[in-house]
Amino acid sequence: LHSLHQHEEGVYRVGWLPNSTKHFASGGEDSSLFVWDIHRVGAVQPPAEVTHGGGPPEIIFKHSGHRGSVQDLQWNPILPWVMGSVSEDASWAMGGG
């Protein structure tokens, strides 16, 4: 059992990458969206990532483009690694590939 910590406030949505047992995304009240790789929990980080505040090794992507809390997120079921998210201020973001 392992606890994942990076959001600074509550988490509102979690979604698993289709056909993956190790990748998921989380979005929350802190306006951030993270993509996680649970197989990297406890991995040793390269010094450059630690120096530049890269976060824990299990975070493989951070999106900080929302101005309000992330209210929803959804992985594209057809295009791998493509997702959309929306925040409480009605802004939306799409990305991946």
Side-chain angles (χ1 to χ4, degrees):
L1 183 62
H2 184 81
S3 296
L4 303 172
H5 301 277
Q6 192 63 23
H7 284 281
E8 296 175 6
E9 297 180 46
V11 173
Y12 291 156
R13 291 288 182 259
V14 173
W16 286 93
L17 176 67
N19 303 313
S20 177
T21 59
K22 66 178 189 172
H23 298 105
F24 70 94
S26 63
E29 194 173 350
D30 60 1
S31 306
S32 294
L33 185 146
F34 296 102
V35 176
W36 305 77
D37 179 344
I38 59 172
H39 287 181
R40 294 183 66 181
V41 169
V44 176
Q45 284 183 283
E49 287 183 22
V50 174
T51 303
H52 297 301
E58 56 267 25
I59 292 179
I60 58 174
F61 177 77
K62 178 182 179 182
H63 173 67
S64 300
H66 287 298
R67 292 180 297 266
S69 62
V70 177
Q71 297 293 303
D72 201 6
L73 60 89
Q74 184 68 46
W75 289 100
N76 186 309
I78 298 169
L79 299 173
W81 292 99
V82 175
M83 74 164 12
S85 60
V86 65
S87 68
E88 69 179 342
D89 66 350
S91 67
W92 59 274
M94 290 187 68

